[in-house]
Amino acid sequence: MPAKLRQTNLLSRGDDGSILSNTHVRYGDIEDQLALRSASNIHLGDENGNIREDTITIEEMRSLSQTTRDALFQVWQELQFMISRYESELSHRWLRKSPIQRRKLLLAIWPEMPLVHRPDMAALREADRLGSKSEIRPGFAMRFPYLNLEDLSKQQPLLWMMDSRSRNFPSVFSNADWSSIRLGLKTKQIIPHYMRGYTMYLSGQWTQADYGHLISWEEDRTSIMKCHQGIAPDPGMGLTILEIQREILRFLVRCSVAIMQGALSDEFARVSKENFSCSSIAPILLQQDDRMSPNTVIIDYQSETARTLETPYRAPEAFDFGRLRSLVDAKYHETQDAVFLMREDPGFFAEMIHESCGDTNEALAYRKYEPTFLSLSKGSRHEAISQALMQVYQHAFLWETVHHLLDDLILAYEQWEHRIQLGELFPQCFMEAMSRLEYCLDDAVSGWIAKLPWYMAAAPAFKQQITFSMLQDGKCQASLRKTP
């Protein structure tokens, strides 16, 4: 008799690479094939709920994945060779070049390289504006959103990328490369092969033989759950990730050769003929994950924005609960202090009310003068006070909730740390705590995004471009000012 099915509240990853929460998935023993098929249909259906047809056979997929994987590791070994022997000279030569020289070198290596930061977003806007007349190739921009002249022509990003990609096993970047093509998957500019019944293992694999290995759902009942949760991709997505990593490594090798010009020895010509043992390389790479390269510049980050811009060119950092807790604690105490000051400090209360006066409907519609609390009508005064109080108390409630949920997540992590491994399913208690925190953050972000257009319209930098008018029901309508 089949074992009783269990139902858990899990995170999942959609076909476009986005994270989905609160997805109920059933799974049981391996002999319960009906439950396994039911779970597979949830992940592998299209947007209309129909089961998709395979676009490639298992023999073709094995051949393509093995060929791509072998080429990836060959070019990775070449990059390792270059960095291990010429790291100082590479850095010295690159930093001596002017921005114009760097741009010419990059274009000589990759003539189709986009000019702007985040070319995937630029391609999306350009295609929407010009249609077929767009000069940006969406496929290239969507596959390699971080290979662009605006970022790589600076001094450090290319060196960071060479250093991180050569010193770390390709599996370290599999999830990051997967997430980077989310926009291309969503807009159908990237359409991977599709094959049901298998899962490709990338993250957590430390040998060439295991990297990109295909596991049948019939052989391992947990592989379908790993595919559904985004721990491991389906074969078509995995093949796309392998191809992206191969092209990135080829680009870095060509850059290193172009920078060194004729200074390379004949030893580089023989590197592809050497037989490296990837199983012996992996432990060394793991020990070097936290080691700073001699050419790496230590930066005092001025903002999270600056750090975010540099993240794609560095090795992904391990999840740091201590830093996350410090950030949440800082916001939690900040909002609690704001609530205390609203009650105890008349000056702070008056300042918050004055800021809210400019966001009222009356102040937006009649902008002949700078609004003050006394210059507003009675209804607008009530509106300003309500907005100020709601903003302070809503932020306090939100960060108090996040603070408690994060404490629950850290407690679950400490309890199940010995069972949490890269590339494996999370314990149910830890997954439930993570799901609750993710749902809270997603809900808060959705609310902020919904309010963002109105906040931008009320901002001084945008007010001159927007026309406001009062409606009969007392609400304010905003519209873009017509340009002559």
Side-chain angles (χ1 to χ4, degrees):
M1 203 175 162
K4 184 178 180 181
L5 295 177
R6 292 168 290 175
Q7 190 173 23
T8 56
N9 191 5
L10 301 174
L11 296 175
S12 62
R13 188 186 291 270
D15 289 340
D16 61 345
S18 59
I19 300 296
L20 309 174
S21 62
N22 295 332
T23 303
H24 295 279
V25 182
R26 301 188 308 164
Y27 64 100
D29 291 341
I30 189 170
E31 59 266 26
D32 195 346
Q33 297 298 327
L34 293 178
L36 187 63
R37 297 303 180 188
S38 175
S40 66
N41 291 342
I42 295 176
H43 174 64
L44 299 171
D46 58 15
E47 59 272 11
N48 298 323
N50 301 319
I51 302 300
R52 298 167 58 186
E53 297 294 335
D54 293 353
T55 61
I56 190 172
T57 63
I58 180 60
E59 292 78 11
E60 294 173 338
M61 177 58 69
R62 290 188 189 277
S63 177
L64 281 175
S65 61
Q66 182 175 358
T67 302
T68 307
R69 181 189 60 190
D70 293 344
L72 185 155
F73 278 93
Q74 179 179 352
V75 72
W76 180 56
Q77 292 164 6
E78 294 176 359
L79 182 62
Q80 280 187 311
F81 174 86
M82 293 294 299
I83 298 303
S84 63
R85 286 164 173 78
Y86 304 107
E87 182 177 11
S88 300
E89 184 67 18
L90 273 170
S91 177
H92 180 67
R93 286 171 175 255
W94 179 254
L95 295 177
R96 280 171 47 192
K97 293 182 180 295
S98 65
I100 296 178
Q101 291 175 324
R102 298 191 198 110
R103 291 168 66 92
K104 289 182 178 180
L105 185 144
L106 293 171
L107 286 176
I109 297 171
W110 211 325
E112 300 173 347
M113 180 175 291
L115 303 178
V116 296
H117 172 72
R118 285 307 299 266
D120 52 344
M121 296 297 298
L124 189 63
R125 291 191 296 265
E126 190 78 4
D128 183 62
R129 186 172 65 90
L130 299 178
S132 60
K133 297 180 181 180
S134 175
E135 296 181 356
I136 301 178
R137 293 183 56 187
F140 179 93
M142 298 296 179
R143 280 178 173 265
F144 310 101
Y146 300 111
L147 297 185
N148 58 86
L149 287 177
E150 183 177 346
D151 293 331
L152 294 182
S153 60
K154 299 176 183 178
Q155 288 188 339
Q156 297 298 334
L158 183 63
L159 299 179
W160 288 333
M161 201 172 192
M162 287 182 178
D163 182 74
S164 61
R165 293 278 176 168
S166 64
R167 297 185 186 279
N168 294 276
F169 205 77
S171 60
V172 173
F173 302 92
S174 59
N175 285 331
D177 293 333
W178 188 357
S179 299
S180 68
I181 60 174
R182 182 181 304 173
L183 185 59
L185 296 171
K186 193 70 174 179
T187 58
K188 306 299 182 182
Q189 295 292 339
I190 300 176
I191 304 179
H193 286 292
Y194 179 76
M195 187 182 69
R196 186 172 45 211
Y198 290 83
T199 298
M200 182 177 289
Y201 280 54
L202 296 177
S203 179
Q205 309 304 310
W206 302 108
T207 64
Q208 181 174 347
D210 293 336
Y211 193 62
H213 183 56
L214 294 173
I215 299 294
S216 172
W217 295 349
E218 305 293 341
E219 298 175 4
D220 184 1
R221 68 185 179 91
T222 62
S223 60
I224 174 61
M225 298 301 300
K226 293 178 182 179
C227 185
H228 179 78
Q229 293 179 242
I231 297 176
D234 60 81
M237 188 69 67
L239 179 61
T240 301
I241 296 172
L242 291 177
E243 292 172 348
I244 290 174
Q245 291 186 336
R246 179 195 61 192
E247 294 305 316
I248 290 177
L249 291 173
R250 281 180 178 174
F251 167 75
L252 295 177
V253 169
R254 291 170 183 171
C255 286
S256 61
V257 172
I259 293 172
M260 294 301 295
Q261 293 179 350
L264 298 178
S265 63
D266 295 335
E267 193 175 4
F268 178 68
R270 299 192 302 269
V271 67
S272 59
K273 300 179 182 179
E274 298 179 10
N275 295 323
F276 291 94
S277 175
C278 293
S279 59
S280 62
I281 294 175
I284 300 176
L285 296 174
L286 289 175
Q287 295 173 5
Q288 293 178 345
D289 279 348
D290 297 330
R291 183 177 66 84
M292 293 291 292
S293 169
N295 296 317
T296 302
V297 179
I298 300 177
I299 294 180
D300 182 15
Y301 293 103
Q302 299 297 325
S303 66
E304 290 299 321
T305 302
R307 187 169 187 175
T308 301
L309 293 175
E310 299 170 1
T311 298
Y313 307 104
R314 294 181 177 272
E317 297 181 0
F319 198 80
D320 189 352
F321 278 112
R323 175 169 175 79
L324 184 60
R325 170 177 263 169
S326 65
L327 294 174
V328 173
D329 284 346
K331 294 297 295 185
Y332 168 73
H333 291 300
E334 178 184 337
T335 55
Q336 293 298 318
D337 291 343
V339 172
F340 175 80
L341 292 175
M342 285 289 285
R343 295 197 304 261
E344 305 295 336
D345 187 352
F348 182 81
F349 181 83
E351 181 181 351
M352 294 297 296
I353 297 297
H354 178 72
E355 291 181 1
S356 298
C357 289
D359 297 336
T360 60
N361 292 334
E362 180 181 351
L364 293 174
Y366 307 106
R367 295 178 291 115
K368 296 181 180 179
Y369 53 87
E370 184 68 22
T372 62
F373 183 75
L374 296 178
S375 65
L376 297 176
S377 63
K378 183 178 180 180
S380 296
R381 294 176 190 174
H382 291 169
E383 182 184 353
I385 295 175
S386 300
Q387 288 183 2
L389 293 176
M390 287 179 60
Q391 179 180 359
V392 172
Y393 280 95
Q394 283 180 349
H395 287 182
F397 175 75
L398 170 63
W399 287 106
E400 183 179 5
T401 304
V402 173
H403 185 268
H404 291 318
L405 292 177
L406 181 60
D407 286 342
D408 294 342
L409 178 61
I410 294 176
L411 182 63
Y413 176 78
E414 293 174 349
Q415 181 180 359
W416 298 98
E417 184 177 3
H418 62 286
R419 288 185 52 189
I420 298 177
Q421 299 180 2
L422 186 65
E424 298 296 331
L425 296 174
F426 291 150
Q428 179 177 347
C429 179
F430 179 75
M431 181 61 75
E432 289 177 351
M434 184 178 291
S435 297
R436 286 192 291 268
L437 177 60
E438 188 206 25
Y439 177 81
C440 177
L441 295 176
D442 282 347
D443 186 63
V445 170
S446 300
W448 287 333
I449 292 176
K451 297 177 182 178
L452 183 60
W454 188 254
Y455 288 153
M456 291 180 61
F462 295 94
K463 275 186 177 182
Q464 302 301 325
Q465 307 298 327
I466 298 174
T467 301
F468 300 90
S469 58
M470 290 292 293
L471 302 179
Q472 293 181 356
D473 57 0
K475 296 182 180 180
C476 184
Q477 183 180 14
S479 59
L480 291 175
R481 187 184 300 274
K482 294 182 179 180
T483 56

